[in-house]
Amino acid sequence: MDDTLRSEATDRLLSAYASREPIDPLTSTYEGMDLEDAYAIQLAQIARMLSEGRTIKGHKVGLTSAAMQKLLGVNEPDYGHLLDDFFYLEHMPIPADRFLQARVEPEMAFVLKKTLSGPGATVHEAVAAVDFVLPALEIVDSRIRDWKIGLFDTIADNASSGAVVLGSTPTPLREVDLRLTGGVMHKNAEVVGTGAGGAVLGSPINALVWLANTLGARGIALEAGQVVLPGAICAMVPVAAGDSVTATFAGLGSVTARFV
């Protein structure tokens, strides 16, 4: 794709946010779209959002489970940006009509106390950069109609980011083994998903290292105070107005999202 086509694709995605009307997959619209095109389109959208006064508060890692990677035919994750207006308080009402096709998944969120940058970042550097862990629910959303996404579609669409609800029970890393930490997700009091941290690239820390090194190769560092969502422990579920979703993690506490 040349710059003109990348700009056109960026405009199409941004218009979907504004109109609340999803669009056809970019990969079916732009033949020959590749990985660099996808990230260029994502970054162009983020630049437009920042120009409007929004700020970056962190990043998310997607496609961290073996099942999702197999589904999209890839062997590594992707990433997106978390902006300041993505964050909602737990238990407080979240307007469902903000989203096009909202789904929710449980994650263990890292909050950083110092900068972490790659390439070459290691596990011990990632561990040292983490201030604490919070239970979290990621609200994923797709601007692509009916979630008919390929890898390049979701990357261009800011890794299908929507919003984040963070719990309020910070836990130091030394007090929990995230690989073995299990979690349960309830929707309207019914169990809709279970999993453990090991489902996230073997350990959520691995996702943090991958993100630092992938961003570092693009000249971007993870900064102190930022939030990192390393990936979901189980499959996402659709939500709508009237739904309430709670994720409960062993040793980390719980977090609830309420949609109106």
Side-chain angles (χ1 to χ4, degrees):
M1 298 174 67
D2 59 22
D3 289 344
T4 298
L5 291 179
R6 287 178 173 181
S7 179
E8 180 182 299
T10 299
D11 289 340
R12 287 170 58 82
L13 286 167
L14 289 171
S15 69
Y17 280 98
S19 67
R20 300 293 186 268
E21 289 293 331
I23 63 174
D24 291 335
L26 295 178
T27 47
S28 66
T29 305
Y30 301 100
E31 186 177 352
M33 181 178 175
D34 62 18
L35 185 69
E36 287 306 309
D37 293 324
Y39 276 118
I41 293 165
Q42 179 187 139
L43 291 172
Q45 290 176 82
I46 297 302
R48 193 87 61 87
M49 294 172 181
L50 296 181
S51 73
E52 298 168 352
R54 300 160 75 179
T55 57
I56 295 172
K57 291 294 186 178
H59 291 81
K60 63 160 286 184
V61 184
L63 306 180
T64 53
S65 72
M68 282 302 297
Q69 290 186 5
K70 182 177 181 181
L71 179 65
L72 294 187
V74 299
N75 57 10
E76 69 172 65
D78 68 348
Y79 72 84
H81 295 70
L82 303 177
L83 300 178
D84 55 321
D85 59 349
F86 282 20
F87 289 80
Y88 286 91
L89 298 174
E90 60 176 339
H91 297 286
M92 299 300 289
I94 300 171
D97 62 3
R98 169 179 173 172
F99 310 102
L100 283 74
Q101 307 172 97
R103 300 182 181 185
V104 175
E105 54 190 21
E107 307 204 18
M108 307 173 199
F110 296 117
V111 179
L112 303 183
K113 62 184 174 184
K114 63 180 184 180
T115 298
L116 178 64
S117 61
T122 64
V123 167
H124 75 273
E125 290 171 333
V127 169
V130 174
D131 194 2
F132 51 83
V133 185
L134 292 172
L137 287 166
E138 182 186 2
I139 303 166
V140 289
D141 195 18
S142 181
R143 272 54 64 178
I144 306 300
R145 185 173 290 109
D146 299 325
W147 278 92
K148 293 183 178 179
I149 57 173
L151 174 63
F152 302 151
D153 294 298
T154 186
I155 289 175
D157 190 23
N158 195 25
S160 303
S161 298
V164 184
V165 182
L166 297 177
S168 53
T169 52
T171 301
L173 269 182
R174 64 179 178 274
E175 295 183 7
V176 63
D177 185 342
L178 296 184
R179 299 169 303 164
L180 305 179
T181 297
V184 180
M185 182 166 62
H186 290 81
K187 175 182 172 182
N188 303 329
E190 178 184 352
V191 174
V192 291
T194 62
V200 182
L201 293 183
S203 168
I205 290 291
N206 291 342
L208 179 58
V209 173
W210 177 89
L211 178 63
N213 287 327
T214 301
L215 288 177
R218 296 176 178 272
I220 304 169
L222 295 171
E223 299 178 1
Q226 287 190 341
V227 173
V228 173
L229 298 179
I233 65 167
C234 65
M236 56 190 178
V237 296
V239 290
D243 289 334
S244 179
V245 180
T246 297
T248 304
F249 296 91
L252 294 180
S254 64
V255 57
T256 297
R258 184 167 65 87
F259 296 88
V260 296

